[in-house]
Amino acid sequence: MVVLVVATATDPASIGPAAAFLAMPGWSPGPPIPEGMESFTNGNVRLLKHERSIIAEDDLDLRWQEATGEVVSEIIFLSKHTAVSNRPALTVHPIGVPHLREDETPPQGGRPGWAALTNPRIGPWLRLMQKVAADQGLVPEFEITLEATHHGPLTSTPTMFVEIGSTEEYWGRQDAAQAIALVLWKGLGLEDGNAVGTWLGNGEKVLLGIGGGHYAPRHMDIVGLMNWLFLRARAV
């Protein structure tokens, strides 16, 4: 099984971290795939680059398996983050729009009432991101935060978004891109073989968060204090 990391060339906060990730050792050209996409391989990690909107890339895990024969165990999307505060930020979050009624139209992909399987790395990677950002000198300028579910695309595989926010000035910041690349490098075990947040199913404690607003500050406080896997936050 493979981990699929997805980036789009149309988003500087997506392609920047992808380029920094690819600059690390061990990469080779990935399997040929259709649809004008480019792929790279490093161990069990596959980096996929395309030029379309990430939130419109429904069923990318199933399409990858059909094209390559490789089963996807999880998806990590790289993307920009926007906020009315315009504050620089690094964020992680699950995806889905479970709060919408069937007659409502999702503004940013997904399906009303649907939520993706949540990538269990979210809690551990939030803590890893806090450490990497501090080590790289991004704190306190950048806020490190957790978001609730709020958009698509549709997937059938445990999924998470890793983002840089919150304006164009920060989306293209090389130091922020390098920090995200380091989170990927360390978190997926490419640095030393010790991945962070891998789900083993051996009784690990799991936190299911409901409510708390878009940034779910109480959930984030608990995740920061406890060595738990974090499955979902959804504002209600």
Side-chain angles (χ1 to χ4, degrees):
M1 301 182 79
V2 300
V3 177
L4 196 60
V5 179
V6 185
T8 174
T10 64
D11 178 354
S14 180
I15 200 63
F21 194 30
L22 285 173
M24 295 172 175
W27 292 98
S28 59
I33 50 177
E35 306 181 33
M37 298 183 181
E38 190 176 13
S39 72
F40 305 86
T41 181
N42 194 339
N44 72 326
V45 179
R46 305 290 181 265
L47 178 64
L48 176 61
K49 295 198 303 184
H50 58 77
E51 296 186 358
R52 296 191 289 271
S53 168
I54 275 184
I55 61 173
E57 287 291 352
D58 289 345
D59 301 316
L60 194 52
D61 47 348
L62 301 180
R63 287 155 48 204
W64 179 271
Q65 180 176 347
E66 182 178 359
T68 68
E70 295 181 336
V71 177
V72 177
S73 61
E74 60 186 279
I75 306 177
I76 300 161
F77 288 104
L78 306 178
S79 178
K80 64 185 177 185
H81 166 70
T82 58
V84 294
S85 69
N86 293 334
R87 180 174 179 180
L90 304 180
T91 80
V92 295
H93 70 81
I95 64 170
V97 283
H99 58 295
L100 295 184
R101 300 188 306 270
E102 290 185 359
D103 60 342
E104 294 182 288
T105 300
Q108 294 181 297
R111 183 173 59 236
W114 167 87
L117 295 170
T118 302
N119 193 316
R121 298 189 195 276
I122 286 179
W125 277 29
L126 178 65
R127 295 187 288 271
L128 175 62
M129 183 180 287
Q130 290 170 330
K131 182 180 186 307
V132 168
D135 290 346
Q136 296 296 304
L138 294 177
V139 177
E141 181 185 12
F142 279 75
E143 180 180 18
I144 314 303
T145 191
L146 169 73
E147 296 181 84
T149 53
H150 58 288
H151 60 64
L154 295 174
T155 69
S156 302
T157 303
T159 301
M160 66 186 290
F161 266 63
V162 180
E163 301 180 338
I164 300 174
S166 298
T167 65
E168 187 173 358
E169 175 185 357
Y170 302 106
W171 297 335
R173 281 267 294 261
Q174 183 57 40
D175 52 355
Q178 185 66 27
I180 295 298
L182 283 170
V183 170
L184 294 167
W185 183 252
K186 295 173 180 289
L188 293 173
L190 295 179
E191 179 181 57
D192 56 11
N194 296 313
V196 177
T198 303
W199 174 258
L200 299 175
N202 292 331
E204 298 96 332
K205 291 182 179 179
V206 172
L207 173 65
L208 172 64
I210 300 175
H214 182 87
Y215 292 100
R218 179 57 180 152
H219 302 81
M220 196 175 81
D221 288 345
I222 295 172
V223 171
L225 291 171
M226 306 295 289
N227 189 27
W228 288 356
L229 300 171
F230 185 82
L231 288 193
R232 184 171 312 280
R234 175 60 251 167
V236 294

